[in-house]
Amino acid sequence: MDTEEQFHLRAELHGHDEDVRGISICSLGLLTGSRDKTAKLWLEDSPGPEASSSSATPHGDTGGYSVAQTLVGHTDFVGPVLYAPPGSLIDYPQGVIITGSRDKTIRVWEPQTAGCLAVLEGHEYQVTALGLLPPGGPGHAEGGAILSASLDKTLRIWRGGKCVSTLTGHQGPVLCLLVLEGGEVLSGSGDTSVKMWAPGGGPCIHTIKAHTDTVRGMCMVPGLGFATASHDLSVRVWDSRGSLLAELVGHSAIVYTVAAVEMPSARGPAAGPGGVLLASGSEDNTVRIWRPSGECVQVLEHPGNIWAVDFTPRGDLVTGCSDAVARVWTVRPEARGDPALERALANLISERKAAKEAAAAGGDAAGGGGGGGPAALPPGLKVEDAFVLSQPGARDGENKFVRDGATGDVVAYHWDSKAFQWEKIGVVVSGPQGGGGGGGGTSARKFFAGREWDFVFDVDIGEGLPPKKLAMNRGDNPYLVAQSFITDNELPPYFVEQIVQFILQNTGQSGAAKPGADAIVDITGGFCDPFTGGSGSRPAPRPAAATPAAPPMSITGGGVDPFTGGGGGGGGQTSSGFPSHTPTHIPCHTSLTFDNVPNLEALGRKIREFNSSLSSPQQLSETDLAAGGPLDALLQKLPGVAAAATASSGAAAARTPIISTADLALLQRMLVWPPDKLFPALDIARLTVLDGAAGGGGELLAAPVVAGDLTAASPTPGTVLRAPYQAGVLGRRRKGFPPCPSISFHSSPPSLMRFF
């Protein structure tokens, strides 16, 4: 494009507090959706020169936009936004605004009052895209219907406030959709495919293997067909039959969004055949302008990640950025904004680049915050988009590495299956140099606490708390480093494995520590028992002639009993030739107390999840599970029980009971659940027993009919003592293992406490 026909900044729309995630141009004006949980309707401050002969500024249009409405109601960030004009939906003949959110709902809004007319519920995870089906499809012959896509791998059709049809077939999250002029529906997915569905949301009639990674965005291309944007860093243009016409390559990071426009005739020659231009937005902080043939004609830099793009009918481009600003760009000379606005943006981008480069260069010497750019990441580390955190992990302890669209940092998350949520571990601040994570090559050393280290990591230990520094050198035992970090920061011991996995991922170790060049040892770093923490000195090398063939070394260091710490041989050697261990887990310096209150929201969510999978005789009723009902009432009492447990026994007896007989009856019903679903009930029981008031939870649980017979070989089903036995908690005692020494508790009936 000639310089005079390139896009220039026309206006900046400031009003959102966080990322602008969705954009839609409509007859009302400009719609935006944001991570700040709101959507906004923007109107131009003046109609522009095409509607008025007067010029409000020396540049023609005023270029300004004002907020006409702010739509508040979603409980998580808003992504897709859409306007259904009058007559397009029989349910809303006057026209409505539609929004989708990570709170799993779709909301329908009245444009004039910003009132919410309906909340459409049914998707299991985040709503990612919206569309309108024309009249004539199944179930909505009289009028159109709302179409939605979700991370739950489905598309849903809504009419009359209800889901009337669900389209299934994708093997991954559905991230974008497009309704064609003939009523066919296209959907793009994390399974790398694009599916075409029959008009009106009928069955799937065609599947295209569209990309080598997630299909993230989709748009119509006038006169040609459609285009797709992908995590594989490309944009592809297809004809209406699904044949590839062109591949647009140039972005250096995930491409989130794509839009196309047939430019007005005056701009057609610059745009190419048919006057068509495409715009794509990427995590590389740029918007690229393309001809459909694949030629990039302009790059528009931004201060952050680009989530959304769209074109106005006059050919202006609107971009949504992670810096919370939407920007309007134009090729029309008369519509350009004040040149100072574009200069200020250029200065802002330059400042951010300089700050990032300075952080990358100087952050290491300071001990490391930042530095999470691609060059610093461990080789082979898979960095994913934040939407993966909206889906549950495949297993407990699974790690995900996600790039923060606002800062560019790569953040590590860990799946906690008990809490049923992703826990933030910290920012990935450096990776191994030399490609191997251990030898061959040098790297910049980092300074922390007056010493030089190979690695210094930021670890988040609590919401709103500053991160703690974890420093280590290559060859350090990950388990010992994690244990030292936990002890120094007084953290619960069950974080050890989580921290170890974080260390292994970010130091390039793939199942083996490498403290010496003479041998390769296992993940424990040289004869450290991962269960007991015991370790021994590496034996001195023996002459080859005198060394019998040793059996393969196990993860526990070879021949070491992982439960008792004992070795298999006499003296200072095990039967396999490795040094014996002295257990170091006794005395225990850290403990998990009975008054530790779990995440109540997660506990309630897990109980409801388990309840839904049970047969009707074992299920709690809808009344029990209702918001504010008996279950919620019981859970809300637990912090009070824990707080009161620190009182003296005399004071406890004088207190009013907190746990009631109705609470206990509800708990008893959960204590007969199957073994794999008992642990939430046991969490409640261990807190209930702390209610030491006369007639309180402690006494109620100690009653023989509730507690069961302590002398029985197999306690009666439904009693408190039967529950931990059934769940396997008592299995170690009955197999002759000693009771765990790491549980401490306050005053409550000891006959019950010893079994938790």
Side-chain angles (χ1 to χ4, degrees):
M1 296 174 69
D2 294 334
T3 302
E4 290 301 314
E5 294 182 330
Q6 289 191 335
F7 283 91
H8 291 271
L9 186 61
R10 178 185 176 193
E12 290 187 334
L13 282 59
H14 294 265
H16 284 297
D17 296 325
E18 297 185 60
D19 309 36
V20 178
R21 294 292 303 251
I23 289 175
S24 180
I25 307 298
C26 63
S27 58
L28 290 178
L30 193 160
L31 292 170
T32 56
S34 170
R35 190 185 289 272
D36 66 12
K37 307 177 186 178
T38 72
K40 292 181 183 289
L41 170 63
W42 306 77
L43 301 180
E44 288 189 68
D45 290 337
S46 75
E50 294 170 15
S52 173
S53 59
S54 63
S55 294
T57 74
H59 300 281
D61 288 356
T62 64
Y65 284 75
S66 300
V67 176
Q69 297 288 5
T70 298
L71 312 179
V72 180
H74 282 294
T75 59
D76 210 328
F77 76 67
V78 179
V81 287
L82 180 68
Y83 177 59
S88 59
L89 295 174
I90 192 172
D91 297 323
Y92 309 103
Q94 301 306 312
V96 290
I97 297 171
I98 307 167
T99 57
S101 169
R102 196 168 67 172
D103 66 12
K104 303 181 285 189
T105 70
I106 299 158
R107 286 181 176 257
V108 182
W109 310 83
E110 205 284 317
Q112 281 69 42
T113 64
C116 183
L117 302 176
V119 179
L120 310 182
E121 298 179 298
H123 279 299
E124 297 178 17
Y125 299 117
Q126 176 184 338
V127 178
T128 55
L130 295 169
L132 291 176
L133 289 177
H140 51 91
E142 308 89 346
I146 298 171
L147 179 65
S148 61
S150 168
L151 295 184
D152 63 14
K153 306 179 185 179
T154 70
L155 295 95
R156 289 176 180 259
I157 299 172
W158 307 83
R159 190 167 184 274
K162 297 180 180 179
C163 177
V164 297
S165 181
T166 301
L167 310 184
T168 60
H170 277 295
Q171 301 304 305
V174 184
L175 297 165
C176 52
L177 66 84
L178 185 64
V179 180
L180 304 180
E181 293 179 356
E184 298 90 350
V185 174
L186 298 177
S187 58
S189 168
D191 63 14
T192 74
S193 75
V194 169
K195 288 185 178 291
M196 177 180 285
W197 309 81
C204 179
I205 56 178
H206 189 37
T207 300
I208 307 168
K209 180 67 167 64
H211 286 271
T212 59
D213 205 336
T214 297
V215 181
R216 188 58 183 267
M218 192 179 295
C219 74
M220 292 284 294
V221 180
L224 292 176
F226 63 96
T228 53
S230 172
H231 287 196
D232 66 10
L233 319 187
S234 74
V235 174
R236 293 183 177 181
V237 181
W238 311 81
D239 67 18
S240 58
R241 299 185 302 274
S243 297
L244 183 63
L245 299 178
E247 184 172 27
L248 286 50
V249 179
H251 283 295
S252 59
I254 292 171
V255 186
Y256 289 118
T257 178
V258 63
V261 66
E262 185 169 8
M263 298 292 285
S265 57
R267 312 297 168 189
V276 175
L277 285 179
L278 290 90
S280 57
S282 168
E283 194 179 61
D284 64 12
N285 297 357
T286 69
V287 171
R288 286 180 174 260
I289 310 299
W290 310 84
R291 294 192 177 103
S293 60
E295 179 187 357
C296 179
V297 295
Q298 190 178 359
V299 178
L300 302 174
E301 290 192 277
H302 286 68
N305 176 63
I306 306 300
W307 292 113
V309 295
D310 201 2
F311 283 102
T312 71
R314 290 185 291 182
D316 288 354
L317 171 67
V318 186
T319 60
C321 184
S322 62
D323 69 347
V325 180
R327 293 176 172 86
V328 182
W329 307 76
T330 186
V331 295
R332 297 179 291 130
E334 72 278 5
R336 294 179 189 173
D338 189 332
L341 190 65
E342 198 158 355
R343 288 196 298 269
L345 175 61
N347 291 336
L348 175 61
I349 294 171
S350 297
E351 290 171 3
R352 293 201 174 189
K353 283 183 177 180
K356 193 170 184 178
E357 291 170 359
D364 287 347
L377 298 179
L381 187 71
K382 183 179 181 182
V383 181
E384 302 180 77
D385 183 42
F387 78 80
V388 300
L389 302 179
S390 299
Q391 304 176 81
R395 55 179 173 78
D396 189 48
E398 180 182 7
N399 290 326
K400 293 283 188 184
F401 298 89
V402 172
R403 189 176 301 281
D404 187 313
T407 65
D409 290 333
V410 175
V411 183
Y413 291 85
H414 166 91
W415 177 250
D416 185 336
S417 60
K418 185 176 181 181
F420 204 72
Q421 63 185 14
W422 290 100
E423 300 285 355
K424 182 178 178 181
I425 302 173
V427 176
V428 181
V429 296
S430 67
Q433 303 296 319
T442 60
S443 63
R445 301 274 287 174
K446 301 166 183 63
F447 291 86
F448 174 66
R451 288 184 55 189
E452 281 188 326
W453 304 88
D454 289 329
F455 303 98
V456 177
F457 300 108
D458 282 335
V459 180
D460 286 330
I461 62 172
E463 188 70 29
L465 298 177
K468 299 292 185 181
K469 300 291 185 183
L470 186 154
M472 65 175 293
N473 290 317
R474 289 186 180 85
D476 285 353
N477 185 299
Y479 281 93
L480 299 183
V481 172
Q483 185 62 56
S484 176
F485 179 79
I486 281 176
T487 301
D488 292 345
N489 292 282
E490 299 180 345
L491 298 176
Y494 48 78
F495 282 131
V496 167
E497 188 62 32
Q498 185 175 337
I499 295 172
V500 167
Q501 293 304 317
F502 178 77
I503 291 171
L504 294 177
Q505 289 275 5
N506 290 284
T507 59
Q509 300 181 58
S510 55
K514 300 178 180 179
D518 53 346
I520 296 177
V521 299
D522 67 337
I523 193 174
T524 63
F527 320 118
C528 173
D529 185 335
F531 297 99
T532 67
S535 62
S537 300
R538 183 176 178 79
R542 290 170 289 177
T547 305
M553 181 176 177
S554 72
I555 192 172
T556 64
V560 179
D561 185 331
F563 296 101
T564 67
Q573 296 280 332
T574 66
S575 60
S576 56
F578 296 110
S580 59
H581 295 2
T582 299
T584 60
H585 63 299
I586 300 175
C588 180
H589 298 290
T590 56
S591 60
L592 179 63
T593 60
F594 262 62
D595 57 6
N596 178 270
V597 180
N599 183 315
L600 298 180
E601 181 181 353
L603 188 61
R605 187 165 61 242
K606 181 59 69 175
I607 290 172
R608 290 177 171 88
E609 176 193 337
F610 283 168
N611 187 76
S612 66
S613 66
L614 297 173
S615 58
S616 55
Q618 292 181 305
Q619 281 186 324
L620 303 182
S621 68
E622 292 185 4
T623 302
D624 293 329
L625 300 176
L631 175 61
D632 284 351
L634 172 57
L635 295 179
Q636 293 306 314
K637 293 180 181 180
L638 299 183
V641 172
T646 57
S648 65
S649 58
R655 286 199 311 263
T656 301
I658 299 176
I659 302 298
S660 67
T661 54
D663 296 327
L664 185 66
L666 182 63
L667 173 58
Q668 279 187 281
R669 291 167 61 191
M670 290 186 281
L671 288 172
V672 299
W673 282 3
D676 61 334
K677 297 177 172 59
L678 265 178
F679 289 99
L682 292 177
D683 257 340
I684 296 175
R686 69 171 169 82
L687 286 161
T688 298
V689 77
L690 296 177
D691 183 12
E699 284 191 11
L700 294 173
L701 282 174
V705 67
V706 179
D709 185 356
L710 284 168
T711 64
S714 179
T716 305
T719 61
V720 176
L721 297 180
R722 174 67 180 184
Y725 172 81
Q726 184 177 346
V729 174
L730 301 186
R732 288 173 56 85
R733 296 179 60 89
R734 297 183 183 271
K735 292 176 182 176
F737 291 109
C740 175
S742 62
I743 299 293
S744 65
F745 50 87
H746 302 291
S747 57
S748 277
S751 59
L752 291 180
M753 298 293 273
R754 58 191 281 252
F755 284 99
F756 280 96

